[in-house]
Amino acid sequence: MVFKIISKYTLLLILFFYYFYAFSYNNPKIDNLQKQLKSAEENQKAEIYNKLAIAYKGISPEKIIEYAKKALELSKTSGNKLIEANALLNIGMGYFHLGNYDKTLEYYLESSDIMDSIDNKNGSAECLIGLGNVYMQLNKLNKTLNYYKEALIIKTEIKDSIGIAAILNNIGVVYLELEDNKTAMEYHVKSLKIKEIIGDLIGTTYSLNNIGYTYFNLNDYNKSLDCYFRALKIRERIGSEKEIAVSLFNIGETYIILKNYNEALLYLERSLKLSKKSKSKYLTKSIYKIYSDLYENIENNTKALEYYKLYSTLKDSLYSEQSNKKIAELQVQFDLEKKQKEIELLTKDKDAEIKKRKLISYSFILGFILILLFTFLIYSRFRVKKKANILLEKKNLEINQQKEEIQAQAENLSEINEELEKLSIVASKTDNAIIIMDAEGNFEWLNDGFTNLYELTIDELINDFGKNITKATPNPNAKKLIKYCIENKETINYESYYVTKSQKKIWNQTTLTPILDEKGNIKKLIAIDTDISKLKKAEEKIFKQKEEITDSIIYAKRIQNALFPSKEIMNTTIPQYFVLDMPRGIVSGDFYWFSKIKDEIVISVADCTGHGVPGAFMSMLGVTFLNKIVNEKGIIKPNEILDRLRNNVITSLHQTGEAGEANDGMDIALINIDKKSNILEYAGANNSAYLIRNSELTEIFADKMPIGIYREIETPFSCQKISIQTGDMLYLFTDGYVDQFGGLRGRKFLYKNFKNLLKEIHKLPVSEQNNLLKDKLLEWRGKYEQIDDILIMGIKI
């Protein structure tokens, strides 16, 4: 199987190269800036706060926003517009890292207005680049290109070489996303030339990687490798572990396309170590996946499965982290909506009280005027009213202060509600069913996806199944799993089967996640149900197909066994022998064959191309041809049998030797034992035989050509004659035993160990030899899967 993997990891790493890297040369150390801040004059602090914000780029978005807001506050006091614009740009950058693109756009646009008003061209270009980065994340690539190209014009005008190179790089990345590899290459090459001229080594490695990636897309893998190696060489001198790991990954990936699997494994192994060390989960996940594909390609299913499980686990972990974050955001939304309603009620009560107080105040003023007119009559009562007025004024002041506080809270909640509205849209519009419960699992809220999937509103859910998740879940094991989730505060998964009111049958997978408060106590439970009905139907179909295929193969096994030699006849002809037959699957591509012609016995052990069903077909073909050559035509000389067998295979498979043609055939060891003369004649196609006499092993070498099409097809097989003695032990075998992986280091068993093992056991009864060979193989194999069919025949003379 040939496969092509186009990794997006490199693209993700370089996507906002300009944004993260272009000003890294101007990034002072945080501790030095903190020292400067302590001794700085008041009018210098705003600029230092901006520098601190930039210093936290790639470390803490929250710190970026915190320091930039301090700079913004001081700049407004001092009236320094440039510092104010830079502070706004930095705040936008912080929100960009947090994924809050609405806030990002707001601050970038405000910064851009100020930069334009003070004619700061470099700052205007920075804002345009930032806006381009936001629209890149929103996948609005045409807008992205417009902003980048506007910024490029300004950077060119002010002759900012570093900025020009970085923007060229970003434009090239956009064209890669648009799959316009030719245009992408033009921009990346321009960017590389500038970086090499100005001595920007880190930037050079990014451009080389981008050019290599573009060559990769264009299927020019040798040029791609050249770029990757150039980038790796520089990064090993000055780059970070993550950057080196990415280069190693790219090289390994390209070697896989070139089918150089050994080299690919070397580079991927180094990449995996560095990605783990740098805690880059996304790169580690990509390496596990490509490892799995590689081992599947070389038919090492054990390793392929092992790495696929690692990939799947890490992928689920990353998905869980993202899901939990969204769930937590939904919970915040739920709590804030309740709080908002409480505040709205409180505001209404306070407004009513304020109106009441105003009415009292107006009445008092009127009364006070009347008191002034009749002061000589009610002077004593005037003093009482004056004291009451003072008290009322204090009360009014308190009310006004409370009103201001409520208004401030309302304004803050308005901002929060903008974000909650977006999360609410996500929760309501997703096809997945989402349920929010209290800490005991009682239903509180569900989204439209739940109603669409199960045809139930929250009231219908509670009326039909009860208010608690344990009663509403059809899975019989769910109660235990939910209890485990609550007691251990861990996310759990389970599957359930449900029939809706319209008789729609649904299989769903539920992910139940506890939301904890600051003290670690469960605050809410969130259940997300995914419809897996199609997956279940596919699984059922695959299971049925597998059953049918397995039944067919088992029946084919019966047919194959029926064609093999009768053990009863062999037992009467060869009293002391054994056959260790261990197919990799149900049927085998290895076979043994036997025939007795007067006083001569013809025996063969063969290994056909492939294993399983294809190998079994070839083995049946081989048995049929041997029966025809030996039993029908009476040819018993081993080399002549192999010559005839080769011609029959080539003719029946229509082999011509043309390029690209399948070279199916078999390797075989074939002997003729003349019981009268005690002479053994041997001929072999790639498969040797072993003869052990007096504890010394002699290898009877085969001709190095197969039964099938071959470049030296006109060369006949040779025949060797050997005198045999009573007590000699003869072994015929295929290569499955010696090629089996196992042991502590997962290596092949090898012919050397096989020979030593046969010398150790050859004096034992043949049945014990058979058992020991099998036990030794199982012990050696251990946790590894059997990789090929195994067949060994031992004959004691």
Side-chain angles (χ1 to χ4, degrees):
M1 177 178 67
V2 177
F3 61 91
K4 180 177 179 181
I5 304 164
I6 299 178
S7 171
K8 287 289 181 184
Y9 187 84
T10 307
L11 191 59
L12 290 171
L13 185 66
I14 61 175
L15 187 55
F16 296 106
F17 159 70
Y18 179 88
Y19 200 75
F20 293 116
Y21 168 74
F23 295 100
S24 61
Y25 66 90
N26 197 27
N27 236 357
K29 292 184 179 178
I30 293 171
D31 53 350
N32 288 335
L33 287 169
Q34 294 285 8
K35 290 177 183 178
Q36 292 178 32
L37 190 63
K38 290 179 181 178
S39 59
E41 298 292 335
E42 196 65 25
N43 60 351
Q44 298 173 327
K45 287 185 178 180
E47 189 173 355
I48 297 174
Y49 279 133
N50 264 336
K51 289 180 179 179
L52 271 168
I54 295 172
Y56 275 100
K57 189 188 298 183
I59 301 173
S60 170
E62 292 82 2
K63 285 289 185 183
I64 294 174
I65 296 169
E66 176 188 340
Y67 284 116
K69 282 188 174 181
K70 288 181 180 179
L72 180 63
E73 185 179 350
L74 290 174
S75 68
K76 286 184 176 181
T77 304
S78 66
N80 190 318
K81 288 295 184 181
L82 179 58
I83 292 177
E84 180 183 352
N86 284 331
L88 289 166
L89 187 61
N90 288 335
I91 295 171
M93 177 177 63
Y95 281 118
F96 179 84
H97 285 291
L98 291 173
N100 188 337
Y101 303 128
D102 287 345
K103 284 281 188 184
T104 305
L105 287 172
E106 176 187 335
Y107 282 101
Y108 280 171
L109 290 169
E110 191 175 349
S111 176
S112 179
D113 289 341
I114 297 173
M115 293 291 189
D116 291 343
S117 69
I118 62 176
D119 197 28
N120 188 306
K121 293 185 177 180
N122 188 60
S124 296
E126 295 301 311
C127 293
L128 290 169
I129 293 163
L131 291 167
N133 291 342
V134 173
Y135 283 108
M136 185 71 172
Q137 284 294 310
L138 298 174
N139 201 32
K140 295 183 178 180
L141 301 180
N142 289 329
K143 274 196 170 186
T144 303
L145 278 177
N146 289 337
Y147 281 117
Y148 282 165
K149 287 181 178 180
E150 282 185 52
L152 180 61
I153 292 170
I154 297 173
K155 289 288 185 181
T156 304
E157 184 181 340
I158 63 177
K159 299 179 180 179
D160 178 3
S161 297
I162 293 176
I164 292 169
I167 299 172
L168 288 170
N169 176 84
N170 282 10
I171 294 173
V173 170
V174 178
Y175 279 113
L176 279 175
E177 282 289 286
L178 291 168
E179 298 183 0
D180 186 349
N181 293 298
K182 183 179 178 181
T183 307
M185 181 70 80
E186 291 174 3
Y187 279 97
H188 286 312
V189 169
K190 288 178 183 178
S191 178
L192 176 63
K193 287 179 180 177
I194 295 172
K195 289 168 187 173
E196 288 178 337
I197 290 170
I198 64 177
D200 181 2
L201 293 179
I202 288 292
T204 297
T205 66
Y206 279 100
S207 289
L208 285 170
N209 255 32
N210 292 343
I211 294 169
Y213 182 78
T214 310
Y215 277 128
F216 189 100
N217 287 345
L218 294 169
N219 300 326
D220 195 338
Y221 303 117
N222 290 325
K223 287 185 179 179
S224 179
L225 273 178
D226 179 61
C227 292
Y228 290 153
F229 274 116
R230 287 170 62 192
L232 176 63
K233 188 175 181 180
I234 298 171
R235 285 178 171 178
E236 285 178 334
R237 289 206 322 265
I238 61 172
S240 71
E241 289 176 341
K242 183 187 289 186
E243 290 166 334
I244 295 169
V246 170
S247 290
L248 292 168
F249 175 83
N250 292 336
I251 293 168
E253 176 188 50
T254 310
Y255 272 129
I256 291 176
I257 298 299
L258 295 172
K259 296 184 181 180
N260 192 339
Y261 302 125
N262 290 332
E263 288 293 319
L265 284 170
L266 287 174
Y267 285 96
L268 289 174
E269 184 179 357
R270 289 176 60 195
S271 179
L272 183 59
K273 286 180 181 178
L274 289 176
S275 68
K276 287 181 177 179
K277 191 175 179 182
S278 61
K279 299 181 180 178
S280 177
K281 290 185 179 180
Y282 284 97
L283 178 55
T284 303
K285 180 194 74 171
S286 298
I287 297 171
Y288 285 153
K289 180 62 171 68
I290 202 171
Y291 257 129
S292 175
D293 293 338
L294 187 153
Y295 280 115
E296 182 181 357
N297 196 50
I298 61 177
E299 298 185 357
N300 189 336
N301 293 333
T302 302
K303 285 282 187 181
L305 179 61
E306 175 188 340
Y307 280 103
Y308 187 82
K309 287 179 178 177
L310 290 170
Y311 157 76
S312 181
T313 301
L314 188 53
K315 179 183 175 185
D316 291 345
S317 171
L318 291 169
Y319 175 78
S320 179
E321 289 175 9
Q322 295 169 354
S323 297
N324 287 340
K325 183 179 178 182
K326 285 293 182 186
I327 289 167
E329 290 172 348
L330 286 169
Q331 179 57 39
V332 171
Q333 174 190 0
F334 181 77
D335 290 342
L336 287 176
E337 283 177 350
K338 290 176 67 177
K339 189 68 175 176
Q340 173 68 13
K341 289 177 182 178
E342 292 172 4
I343 291 173
E344 286 174 359
L345 291 172
L346 181 61
T347 302
K348 288 179 182 178
D349 293 341
K350 290 297 181 181
D351 287 341
E353 188 176 351
I354 289 166
K355 288 179 182 179
K356 183 178 178 181
R357 293 296 183 185
K358 281 184 178 180
L359 182 60
I360 293 170
S361 179
Y362 293 145
S363 300
F364 171 74
I365 292 170
L366 181 59
F368 182 72
I369 294 171
L370 292 172
I371 289 169
L372 287 175
L373 294 173
F374 300 101
T375 186
F376 63 96
L377 296 174
I378 52 173
Y379 178 71
S380 58
R381 293 188 67 185
F382 166 74
R383 293 186 66 183
V384 174
K385 290 290 184 181
K386 187 177 180 180
K387 289 180 181 179
N389 186 45
I390 293 170
L391 291 173
L392 283 171
E393 285 180 353
K394 288 181 179 179
K395 289 292 182 182
N396 283 335
L397 181 61
E398 290 175 3
I399 290 168
N400 287 332
Q401 288 175 342
Q402 290 176 347
K403 183 179 178 181
E404 288 175 1
E405 290 174 3
I406 291 168
Q407 286 175 340
Q409 290 176 347
E411 288 174 3
N412 186 39
L413 284 172
S414 178
E415 292 180 3
I416 294 172
N417 281 337
E418 289 180 11
E419 298 302 316
L420 292 178
E421 186 179 353
K422 296 170 189 173
L423 289 173
S424 177
I425 291 170
V426 172
S428 62
K429 298 302 180 183
T430 180
D431 291 335
N432 290 338
I434 301 174
I435 315 172
I436 299 178
M437 296 157 277
D438 63 18
E440 284 73 40
N442 297 316
F443 303 125
E444 293 183 346
W445 179 88
L446 56 80
N447 70 335
D448 292 343
F450 186 95
T451 302
N452 294 334
L453 182 63
Y454 295 111
E455 302 174 4
L456 290 170
T457 64
I458 190 166
D459 292 334
E460 290 171 336
L461 173 65
I462 293 171
N463 289 336
D464 293 352
F465 298 99
K467 66 178 182 178
N468 194 275
I469 188 173
T470 55
K471 296 180 180 179
T473 303
N475 187 323
N477 298 317
K479 192 171 183 179
K480 292 180 182 179
L481 292 169
I482 295 167
K483 183 180 178 183
Y484 176 87
C485 170
I486 295 173
E487 289 178 352
N488 295 276
K489 301 172 185 176
E490 292 182 9
T491 298
I492 56 102
N493 295 282
Y494 58 87
E495 295 178 359
S496 304
Y497 179 75
Y498 178 75
V499 181
T500 67
K501 292 178 181 178
S502 62
Q503 299 304 305
K504 181 182 177 182
K505 298 174 183 179
I506 299 171
W507 272 101
N508 67 68
Q509 183 180 57
T510 300
T511 300
L512 184 65
T513 303
I515 305 300
L516 309 180
D517 59 20
E518 294 177 354
K519 296 181 180 179
N521 298 318
I522 295 180
K523 190 177 180 182
K524 299 287 180 183
L525 291 173
I526 308 292
I528 299 178
D529 288 1
T530 304
D531 188 351
I532 58 169
S533 303
K534 291 182 179 179
L535 179 62
K536 282 291 183 180
K537 287 180 181 178
E539 286 179 355
E540 184 179 351
K541 185 177 180 181
I542 291 169
F543 180 77
K544 288 181 179 178
Q545 289 174 342
K546 184 180 177 182
E547 275 190 331
E548 292 173 0
I549 292 169
T550 303
D551 290 344
S552 298
I553 295 174
I554 290 171
Y555 191 77
K557 175 68 174 176
R558 294 175 187 169
I559 297 172
Q560 186 181 35
N561 288 341
L563 292 174
F564 285 172
S566 166
K567 290 186 177 179
E568 289 77 10
I569 297 174
M570 287 186 68
N571 289 337
T572 58
T573 307
I574 314 171
Q576 296 189 69
Y577 80 98
F578 73 84
V579 176
L580 176 61
D581 186 12
M582 297 176 65
R584 178 187 168 185
I586 298 173
V587 292
S588 176
D590 291 1
F591 73 90
Y592 64 97
W593 181 85
F594 162 89
S595 181
K596 183 176 183 297
I597 307 294
K598 296 181 180 180
D599 292 325
E600 297 184 54
I601 303 169
V602 181
I603 303 171
S604 68
V605 168
D607 181 358
C608 297
T609 304
H611 42 73
V613 174
F617 274 113
M618 281 299 301
S619 70
M620 293 167 71
L621 196 64
V623 169
T624 302
F625 286 148
L626 286 172
N627 284 329
K628 182 178 179 182
I629 294 166
V630 177
N631 295 334
E632 293 181 17
K633 297 188 176 181
I635 298 170
I636 59 174
K637 199 162 186 65
N639 58 319
E640 293 178 8
I641 295 172
L642 295 192
D643 288 336
R644 291 291 186 96
L645 180 60
R646 179 170 61 185
N647 291 335
N648 286 340
V649 168
I650 292 171
T651 302
S652 62
L653 297 182
H654 306 291
Q655 294 178 337
T656 62
E658 293 181 0
E661 181 182 72
N663 295 326
D664 295 317
M666 64 188 75
D667 297 333
I668 189 170
L670 189 143
I671 59 171
N672 179 324
I673 300 175
D674 188 334
K675 298 181 73 174
K676 279 189 175 181
S677 63
N678 283 335
I679 296 294
L680 180 147
E681 291 184 329
Y682 162 86
N686 288 327
N687 277 8
S688 300
Y690 295 157
L691 178 68
I692 301 180
R693 178 183 299 167
N694 299 326
S695 300
E696 289 188 9
L697 186 147
T698 301
E699 182 171 357
I700 311 171
F701 292 99
D703 292 318
K704 294 300 178 183
M705 51 186 178
I707 300 297
I709 197 69
Y710 187 65
R711 62 179 181 273
E712 297 178 10
I713 189 173
E714 295 180 357
T715 304
F717 285 96
S718 61
C719 182
Q720 302 178 53
K721 290 186 178 182
I722 301 168
S723 296
I724 53 176
Q725 302 175 8
T726 300
D728 286 350
M729 194 71 205
L730 181 68
Y731 296 98
L732 307 178
F733 48 85
T734 62
D735 60 2
Y737 199 100
V738 297
D739 284 344
Q740 177 60 48
F741 287 94
L744 297 175
R745 299 182 180 180
R747 295 181 176 178
K748 290 184 178 182
F749 191 77
L750 301 178
Y751 284 99
K752 177 182 69 174
N753 296 322
F754 183 51
K755 290 176 181 179
N756 291 335
L757 178 59
L758 292 179
K759 286 195 287 186
E760 289 176 11
I761 67 172
H762 77 282
K763 292 183 179 180
L764 298 173
V766 288
S767 59
E768 289 186 31
Q769 291 187 46
N770 184 41
N771 294 334
L772 284 170
L773 283 167
K774 184 175 182 179
D775 292 344
K776 181 64 177 179
L777 179 75
L778 295 175
E779 178 188 349
W780 172 259
R781 196 181 83 189
K783 65 179 181 179
Y784 295 92
E785 293 183 4
Q786 184 173 327
I787 65 167
D788 198 0
D789 300 320
I790 294 170
L791 180 61
I792 303 173
M793 177 182 283
I795 303 169
K796 194 163 189 176
I797 305 301

